[in-house]
Amino acid sequence: MSSSSGGGDPTATGVLVLAGTPIGHVPDAPTRLAAELAGADVVAAEDTRRLRRLTAELGVEITGRVVSYFEGNEQARTPMLVESLEAGQRVVLVTDAGMPSVSDPGYRLVAAAVEAGVRVTAVPGPSAVLTALAVSGLPVDRFCFEGFLPRKAGERARRLADLADEQRTVVFFEAPHRTEAALSAMAEAFGADRAAAVCRELTKTHEEVRRGGLADLAAWAADGVRGEVTLVVGGAEARPALATDPDSLRAAVAALEEDGMRRKEAIAQVAVRAGLPKRDVYQVVHIG
């Protein structure tokens, strides 16, 4: 059974509550969070130990059942939680920090609950995406969120090549030990001087926001980065559509290669600018 409104009859089924948790300071917790945790029939937590620390600081006693719900078990646990919802129980989902399902466990459960006709609601809370965007100093009128980049260099380069002409501000999550590699790859794909901000340990004691060009930020990150990292990158300037005749396509790829870009990424970027499939540009460059 599906529901376009995202919920069924609340008297017949339970409620799934996505509860935002602090990304740093516990006092940033939403006012409703304590009440939802205390009144839940089931609390599904990404890390039950962190949940215990949070409830201790909030002065909350959980009387319902506590279960773990993380990347490694969410596929198996989702049907069980849906059964609880269908039985009329109130299930509160929390992750380690921020809003569930935003690069954290939750999407699979939300989709299953919606499909079952269960009401889904949220306790809005802190978000690293919006916090980083707000303090970055970059345009915020239009933006997109790309989550974590692929770990493998080749896959990461292809993803960034696809984003090279994105005109909206782009927000990424990144692991601290991969931050320098990510910024270097962005400098190659987007240009060394593209404006960006590295937001580290947001709202925590050692919060730091570094702003500058991508190449300069990559050089800074080479000394090592610690803590939770969110990257905000300014959008590309609007460029006129590229001519699609073979000579123009070959010239555009050659120009990007002269600037230091690998041919594969150059072809991908030119294909986006020209509005053509990558294979067409590849054939022009390699076959003629």
Side-chain angles (χ1 to χ4, degrees):
M1 170 179 168
S2 62
S3 173
S4 60
S5 63
D9 180 359
T11 64
T13 62
V15 179
L16 173 61
V17 183
L18 309 177
T21 54
I23 61 175
H25 293 299
V26 172
D28 291 337
T31 305
R32 280 176 50 209
L33 178 60
E36 287 290 354
L37 291 172
D41 296 300
V42 181
V43 177
E46 185 177 11
D47 187 325
T48 56
R49 291 168 298 180
R50 289 198 183 193
L51 173 65
R52 291 191 198 101
R53 290 197 293 269
L54 176 62
T55 53
E57 292 191 62
L58 291 175
V60 175
E61 181 180 355
I62 297 178
T63 58
R65 182 162 50 101
V66 175
V67 299
S68 64
Y69 188 79
F70 59 95
E71 184 179 1
N73 73 0
E74 63 176 324
Q75 185 170 355
R77 280 275 160 87
T78 294
M80 179 197 76
L81 291 173
V82 171
E83 286 181 7
S84 297
L85 290 164
E86 291 180 321
Q89 295 187 330
R90 192 173 189 89
V91 176
V92 175
L93 175 64
V94 294
T95 55
D96 291 346
M99 282 299 297
S101 81
V102 181
S103 282
D104 276 328
Y107 168 75
R108 182 178 276 110
L109 179 56
V110 172
V114 170
E115 181 65 22
V118 172
R119 181 183 167 213
V120 179
T121 187
V123 177
S127 165
V129 176
L130 295 180
T131 303
L133 187 69
V135 303
S136 69
L138 295 167
V140 299
D141 54 332
R142 298 175 66 235
F143 70 93
C144 58
F145 174 56
E146 282 290 320
F148 285 93
L149 287 169
R151 296 183 182 186
K152 294 182 179 179
E155 294 177 7
R156 180 174 57 215
R158 286 190 289 275
R159 172 79 63 80
L160 292 173
D162 289 340
L163 292 169
D165 285 325
E166 174 58 66
Q167 294 178 34
R168 296 172 293 180
T169 298
V170 188
V171 184
F172 301 89
F173 285 159
E174 193 49 271
H177 63 280
R178 291 197 297 269
T179 298
E180 187 274 334
L183 289 167
S184 295
M186 288 176 185
E188 182 174 336
F190 301 160
D193 297 327
R194 179 80 71 88
V198 179
C199 304
R200 187 181 70 83
E201 293 291 88
L202 286 168
T203 79
K204 299 176 184 176
T205 302
H206 300 292
E207 176 181 278
E208 181 179 18
V209 180
R210 282 268 177 173
R211 304 174 181 88
L214 284 167
D216 289 341
L217 290 173
W220 164 78
D223 292 332
V225 178
R226 293 182 179 181
E228 300 288 335
V229 176
T230 306
L231 306 176
V232 187
V233 183
E237 293 184 5
R239 288 192 271 187
L242 194 65
T244 57
D245 61 278
D247 289 342
S248 296
L249 295 175
R250 281 191 287 266
V253 171
L256 291 174
E257 287 185 288
E258 288 177 9
D259 288 339
M261 187 177 290
R262 294 187 183 90
R263 175 168 288 187
K264 197 170 186 178
E265 281 68 53
I267 288 173
Q269 190 172 131
V270 168
V272 171
R273 290 175 56 194
L276 295 172
K278 283 187 285 188
R279 64 178 180 275
D280 290 358
V281 180
Y282 179 92
Q283 290 178 340
V284 168
V285 172
H286 287 276
I287 301 174

